[in-house]
Amino acid sequence: MKVLVAGGAGYIGSHTVVELLAGGFDVVIVDNFINSEPFILDNIRKVSGKSLSFTELDVTDKNALFSFFEKEKDIAAIIHFAALKAVGESGHQPLRYYQNNLVSLFNLLECAEKFNVGNFLFSSSATVYGQAEVLPVTEQSPVIAPESPYGNTKKIAEEIIRDVTKATNLRGICLRYFNPCGAHSSALLGELPRGVPNNLVPYITQTAAGLRQKLSIYGNDYNTPDGTAIRDYIHVVDLAKAHVTALNRMAGGKQKEQFEIYNIGTGVGYSVLQVVKAFEEANNLKLNYEFAPRRKGDTETLYADTTLANNELGWKAELGLNDMMGSAWKWQEGLAKT
Ligand code: NAD
Ligand code: WQD
């Protein structure tokens, strides 16, 4: 079965491609490297030991995408990772985010219809829950109007995919990722932040590597056991495997509904301080950090109820915080050598 991975050179996309290839899927990647590097494609080849089909292309370029589909016959599924993802930046550049994240979606959905693709898997985000009143959050928890344009692109995209699946034969699954982190055990694939990282784990690894002076822990006055904010960190390899499971479910005709949504997390929440301690212990290092004021727009506590993903999708996270922190550091160390 041929799968188009849009944004397959990126952090989650590259790990997913490795799992798809291991699962016997025929993978074609498109990416414009707006937030990734070509060497990742070589590393996917090294890790998987398989050849790879890649086309450099901006998914918002409708003509280029349609020509690509005309050439690539028999694409049976699309995985749409191709988005801009910096929450803070999206507040300053809302139009750029709506344009990239939604036009890419329109174009891929149009191609799905025109070229009889059949299956559509979308990268959504736990950001759609905002600060939920009841924890852990289930897929039935209220979806709020997200604070950031980025978050709003995820909420709107879910609604668009739902409506398109309702009106056509297209099958859809949205995976709401919690906090992806960690790297491939080979240390050949991992997160490649451009500039100063926004996310916690790359900030930690860059601080440990001496690229940043110290980690600022945003807020130690939250209503949590140690005062720092709590999230559900999910190993990127577990997350990648969830895509293979979801694809098999859709393509195997096993869905209960033509459009489904799943939380993809571990179901366990860790505080920022717990993550820092886990990093120090996993790697036998000391991290330079200080407490700083809360970051605007941050929520206090968020973690997933993964019952639906475990029981219905048939996927469960296997790797813990120790693996996330160990692999993230190995990847960072490898980057320093290149
Ligand atoms: P990433 O930036 O590493 O990967 C995205 C890839 O898409 C990059 O290779 C980028 O070059 C490419 N891309 C972006 N716009 C494109 C376009 N118009 N045409 C072609 N390629 C384009 O990000 P990631 O962390 O791998 O995230 C993948 C998806 O998961 C995104 O949709 C993101 O919003 C979503 N997501 C990420 C997280 C996270 O914390 N990493 C959490 C929840 C959801
Ligand atoms: C985690 C915790 C920070 C950096 C974001 C997006 C979300 C999703 C995942 C895409 C928070 C704290 C962080 C730092 C810190 N992405 N922190 N110092 O904010 O939960 O989620 O990424 O969909 O939409 O909002 O993740 O890694 O930025 O932060 O103290 O230098 O670490 O305050 O409590 P977040 P994060």
Side-chain angles (χ1 to χ4, degrees):
M1 176 175 156
K2 194 191 269 190
V3 183
L4 168 62
V5 183
Y11 174 43
I12 303 167
S14 57
H15 288 83
T16 301
V17 169
V18 167
E19 297 304 324
L20 288 169
L21 291 170
F25 288 91
D26 182 6
V27 179
V28 290
I29 298 177
V30 295
D31 203 301
N32 64 353
F33 300 123
I34 196 163
N35 198 38
S36 53
E37 300 290 340
F39 81 84
I40 289 293
L41 298 172
D42 290 331
N43 286 6
I44 296 175
R45 291 185 185 102
K46 279 185 206 150
V47 169
S48 64
K50 303 223 164 112
S51 63
L52 205 59
S53 158
F54 172 76
T55 303
E56 187 167 344
L57 181 154
D58 183 337
V59 185
T60 65
D61 180 342
K62 190 167 167 175
N63 290 336
L65 189 66
F66 270 66
S67 310
F68 171 81
F69 267 87
E70 263 149 24
K71 265 190 266 131
E72 282 290 343
K73 302 266 181 284
D74 312 326
I75 291 175
I78 295 171
I79 310 184
H80 181 13
F81 292 108
L84 296 171
K85 63 166 181 178
V87 174
E89 184 182 70
S90 77
H92 301 294
Q93 304 175 1
L95 266 183
R96 181 168 170 247
Y97 272 70
Y98 284 117
Q99 155 84 15
N100 190 72
N101 295 3
L102 294 178
V103 175
S104 59
L105 176 71
F106 298 148
N107 289 347
L108 288 167
L109 285 172
E110 266 193 72
C111 285
E113 193 169 4
K114 184 160 192 290
F115 298 95
N116 292 317
V117 170
N119 305 289
F120 199 89
L121 186 49
F122 180 70
S123 302
S124 190
S125 169
T127 194
V128 300
Y129 295 118
Q131 180 54 74
E133 280 175 19
V134 181
L135 291 164
V137 285
T138 73
E139 291 78 356
Q140 305 307 319
S141 296
V143 164
I144 52 112
E147 281 213 14
S148 69
Y150 165 76
N152 209 26
T153 66
K154 294 300 178 191
K155 176 175 178 282
I156 294 169
E158 284 192 356
E159 289 164 357
I160 292 171
I161 298 164
R162 182 200 60 208
D163 289 349
V164 172
T165 56
K166 220 189 266 176
T168 66
N169 291 328
L170 187 69
R171 292 173 287 275
I173 291 184
C174 293
L175 300 180
R176 289 180 180 159
Y177 314 156
F178 279 67
N179 286 61
C181 67
H184 194 265
S185 58
S186 63
L188 289 171
L189 304 173
E191 196 164 0
L192 265 185
R194 292 237 158 114
V196 182
N198 299 304
N199 293 116
L200 177 63
V201 177
Y203 208 104
I204 289 177
T205 58
Q206 289 199 4
T207 304
L211 299 171
R212 312 276 154 214
Q213 209 203 342
K214 62 170 77 151
L215 169 76
S216 294
I217 295 184
Y218 299 133
N220 62 343
D221 57 351
Y222 283 110
N223 187 21
T224 60
D226 64 22
T228 64
I230 292 176
R231 297 287 184 275
D232 185 337
Y233 296 90
I234 167 84
H235 197 299
V236 66
V237 171
D238 275 334
L239 174 56
K241 288 178 179 167
H243 293 78
V244 179
T245 310
L247 217 50
N248 280 324
R249 177 177 177 85
M250 273 194 292
K254 295 186 205 129
Q255 282 175 292
K256 292 233 169 92
E257 308 282 342
Q258 204 175 322
F259 172 72
E260 294 178 332
I261 294 177
Y262 293 99
N263 282 345
I264 303 295
T266 62
V268 182
Y270 289 106
S271 73
V272 178
L273 264 181
Q274 283 178 307
V275 173
V276 168
K277 295 284 167 249
F279 179 82
E280 290 182 331
E281 274 165 31
N283 301 304
N284 206 13
L285 286 167
K286 273 278 164 229
L287 194 76
N288 195 14
Y289 68 85
E290 65 182 359
F291 293 113
R294 293 180 182 192
R295 185 171 65 178
K296 191 173 168 289
D298 269 0
T299 53
E300 183 169 275
T301 301
L302 191 65
Y303 55 96
D305 182 324
T306 59
T307 309
L308 199 67
N310 300 160
N311 297 348
E312 189 55 47
L313 184 61
W315 167 91
K316 198 173 188 337
E318 286 168 357
L319 301 167
L321 201 53
N322 191 54
D323 279 311
M324 299 179 213
M325 295 304 121
S327 61
W329 178 236
K330 236 175 108 193
W331 160 248
Q332 180 70 54
E333 284 189 301
L335 278 181
K337 288 180 202 135
T338 56

